[in-house]
Amino acid sequence: MEHLLIPKHLSIIMDGNGRWAEKKNLPRFEGHKAGLKAVRMVTSESIKAGIKYLTLYAFSTENWKRPQEEVSSLMNLFQEIIEKEKKDLLDNRIKVMFIGQREKLSLPLRLAMTNIEEETKHNSNLVLNIAINYGGRAELCSALKSIGEIILQGNIVPSQITQNLISEHLFTAGLPDPDLLIRTGGELRISNFLLWQIAYTELWFTKTFWPDFSKKQFWQAINDYEKRVRKFGGKI
Ligand code: IPE
Ligand code: IPE
Ligand code: MG
């Protein structure tokens, strides 16, 4: 089913878990747990579609503002999921990567992350890139700090800073920019996701809460993307 017009890199803001649970009179945490089903679905459909990179926004640098109970249950859930999904990820030859600042995460979670990255690093079916404690602005700050160090060491002068150099110092170094960004949950905003990388990304929004995001909607987004005319500022 591989297709020239299929996005090479799909990114998703998986939003609406809390409201999904509240609507059902369940604790918000149940919404986060229920979101795993949609993660599995988009991962396997992405492989079928021929998508090569799938980036999922799981936790932002601003999500620490939430009640401590919600934050810690989410962190435990991430660790559990990584451990539980390992076999399937290996069987499906998926390469797992994480973007975001890891220092603030618990040691057991960080170990689970580096372990799955290490074990899956030679896989090439799909790159599954998960954003945990990720913020676009924090990412740009850290890129500027590393470039500042390179300048201080005398390796380059400021006039040699290029767009490529900046891209190479982001957490997403080596990945192409996303072609398509899907946001579920009804909000029409970016919420600090991939600010630099989405300069020319096609955007697709749905009101559906993340745990209810279906195969049908996944393919609807892909079909809509195929009809978009991408101009990158030029004339077609
Ligand atoms: C997205 O769902 C998941 C995370 C941000 C961790 P939300 O928890 O933001 O759900 P809503 O937007 O409150 O419904
Ligand atoms: C964005 O959703 C972050 C993730 C989906 C992980 P939020 O729920 O945090 O975004 P806002 O607060 O509605 O902008
Ligand atoms: Mg939300």
Side-chain angles (χ1 to χ4, degrees), residues 13-22 28 31-32 57-60 63 66 70 74 78 183-185 187 189 209-211:
I13 302 176
M14 310 182 288
D15 195 25
N17 294 348
R19 281 164 289 160
W20 179 91
E22 280 158 17
R28 290 176 59 85
H32 298 311
Y57 203 7
F59 193 89
S60 78
N63 288 147
R66 296 187 178 200
E70 185 177 348
L74 264 168
F78 294 148
R183 181 172 189 148
T184 62
E187 312 292 359
R189 55 178 173 252
F209 297 141
W210 176 248

Side-chain angles (χ1 to χ4, degrees), residues 108-136:
L109 175 57
R110 276 186 278 156
L111 288 175
M113 289 161 65
T114 43
N115 175 275
I116 192 101
E117 281 179 326
E118 190 55 32
E119 293 215 24
T120 62
K121 70 178 178 196
H122 297 299
N123 290 345
S124 58
N125 227 3
L126 173 78
V127 173
L128 177 59
N129 183 31
I130 304 167
I132 299 184
N133 194 23
Y134 173 87

Side-chain angles (χ1 to χ4, degrees), residues 30-82:
E30 292 300 326
H32 298 311
K33 260 171 53 183
L36 176 61
K37 199 173 102 249
V39 171
R40 289 201 186 111
M41 182 277 289
V42 293
T43 306
S44 63
E45 293 309 296
S46 293
I47 293 174
K48 284 185 207 158
I51 288 166
K52 285 291 162 203
Y53 304 87
L54 174 63
T55 297
L56 303 177
Y57 203 7
F59 193 89
S60 78
T61 46
E62 285 70 40
N63 288 147
W64 299 103
K65 292 180 199 159
R66 296 187 178 200
Q68 209 239 309
E69 206 183 273
E70 185 177 348
V71 170
S72 55
S73 61
L74 264 168
M75 293 298 153
N76 291 334
L77 184 66
F78 294 148
Q79 196 186 322
E80 246 174 65
I81 291 178
I82 295 170

